[in-house]
Amino acid sequence: MNIVIFLIFVLIFESTYCYVMKGHDHKKRVSTNLAIEPDNLSKKMTKQSNLFQWCGRIANDFTFLFSKIIGYIPSHFIRMLIYRYVLHIDIAPKVVIYFGLEVRSPWNLIIGEGTIIGDKAVLDARYGITIGKNVNLSTEVYIWTLQHNVNSHDFGTEGKRGGVTICDRVWLSSRSTVLPGCIVSEGCVLAASAVMTKSCDTSFSILGGVPAKKISSRNNDIDYIFNGAHRYFL
C-alpha cells in the first residue's frame, strides 16, 4: 500500500513539474525566441534563494532519472501514457517509441504523427526538438541541442546551443548524431554513425561521414506512411 501511495505521489509530482516547466520554457521561447536551458537553473533564478535553486535542481535531476526508468518499462502502452500525460511530451497519433529512450527536458519535445523512435535513442530537448511526420530514428540515434565549447576558458556552452528540427520522412540511421541548431530537410537520410554539424537545405539528400556531407540523393516521390504498428513489450 505504501508503495502504491509513493508511486501516485511521484506521478503527480512529475506531471505537475513538467507541466510548469513546459509553460515556463514556452514563455521564454516566445519572449526571447530561444529556449532556456532547464538544467542550468541557477541562470534562470539568479534573484531567488539558494535553497529554491537547489530544490529546482533536485526536481530537474529527479525528472531525468524518472524518464530513464520509464524508458525500460516492458509495455509500450504504459510508456506512451506516461510520456504523454506525465512528462508532457507533445506526441501525435501513431507514434512508436521503443525501449531505453533517454530524453532531457521532455516537455520541449514534439513528435509528429507516424514517427518511429528506435531503441536507446538520446534526445536532448533542453533547447527544443521538433520531429516531423513519418520520421524514422534508428537504434541509438543522438540529437543534441547543447554542447560544450572547446575554446571556452571555463568549458562553457557559449554559442553551442540551439533547437533541432527534423522534417517529415527523414531517416536517421543507427548511431547517427545531430548537433545543436541543425535542421534536417524533408526526406533526408543520415547514414549510420554520421555526425551532422550544420543544417541540410536540400531535401531528399543522403548524408554520410564526419562531419556529414551529401553523398547521394534519394527519390523525391516517397510517400510512405507509418501506421503505428510496434512490438508490444519493447
Side-chain angles (χ1 to χ4, degrees):
M1 187 64 180
N2 290 336
I3 294 178
V4 173
I5 294 174
F6 174 75
L7 291 176
I8 292 174
F9 171 79
V10 168
L11 292 174
I12 293 174
F13 170 80
E14 282 300 315
S15 180
T16 303
Y17 175 74
C18 291
Y19 179 80
V20 170
M21 292 303 297
K22 187 181 185 75
H24 179 276
D25 285 0
H26 175 73
K27 184 177 180 180
K28 287 293 184 181
R29 280 196 296 272
V30 170
S31 62
T32 66
N33 199 31
L34 184 66
I36 301 300
E37 177 191 353
D39 281 345
N40 198 343
L41 294 178
S42 61
K43 292 182 179 180
K44 297 194 302 186
M45 304 175 182
T46 54
K47 296 182 179 181
Q48 305 296 334
S49 67
N50 290 333
L51 177 61
F52 189 58
Q53 293 180 37
W54 179 80
C55 291
R57 187 59 185 265
I58 291 296
N60 191 73
D61 290 351
F62 182 79
T63 298
F64 179 58
L65 173 63
F66 177 78
S67 66
K68 286 178 70 90
I69 293 172
I70 297 307
Y72 288 93
I73 292 177
S75 168
H76 187 268
F77 176 75
I78 293 176
R79 290 200 308 272
M80 294 300 285
L81 283 178
I82 296 175
Y83 287 146
R84 280 193 172 102
Y85 302 113
V86 178
L87 296 179
H88 292 282
I89 300 175
D90 189 340
I91 303 176
K94 299 179 181 179
V95 168
V96 175
I97 302 177
Y98 283 114
F99 78 99
L101 173 67
E102 177 182 315
V103 56
R104 305 182 185 192
S105 301
W107 51 84
N108 289 327
L109 176 60
I110 300 173
I111 307 174
E113 183 172 352
T115 284
I116 300 173
I117 297 178
D119 308 337
K120 299 181 180 180
V122 176
L123 304 181
D124 169 25
R126 285 175 288 181
Y127 276 80
I129 296 175
T130 300
I131 302 175
K133 299 178 181 179
N134 301 299
V135 173
N136 183 66
L137 275 59
S138 297
T139 298
E140 295 186 357
V141 162
Y142 301 94
I143 300 178
W144 300 102
T145 64
L146 182 72
Q147 65 178 7
H148 294 284
N149 187 337
V150 296
N151 294 314
S152 173
H153 70 280
D154 60 355
F155 203 52
T157 59
E158 300 83 0
K160 299 295 182 179
R161 58 186 70 184
V164 169
T165 299
I166 310 296
C167 297
D168 297 347
R169 294 193 175 88
V170 165
W171 175 17
L172 304 183
S173 300
S174 299
R175 296 187 176 180
S176 59
T177 301
V178 180
L179 295 184
C182 287
I183 299 174
V184 188
S185 297
E186 180 183 2
C188 286
V189 176
L190 187 59
S193 298
V195 178
M196 176 169 282
T197 60
K198 60 182 180 180
S199 298
C200 172
D201 299 325
T202 306
S203 299
F204 298 96
S205 296
I206 299 177
L207 309 159
V210 182
K213 297 179 180 179
K214 184 176 179 178
I215 57 178
S216 186
S217 296
R218 190 182 187 191
N219 294 335
N220 59 10
D221 60 350
I222 293 172
D223 59 359
Y224 57 80
I225 297 176
F226 295 134
N227 61 11
H230 58 83
R231 301 189 298 272
Y232 288 104
F233 299 104
L234 298 177

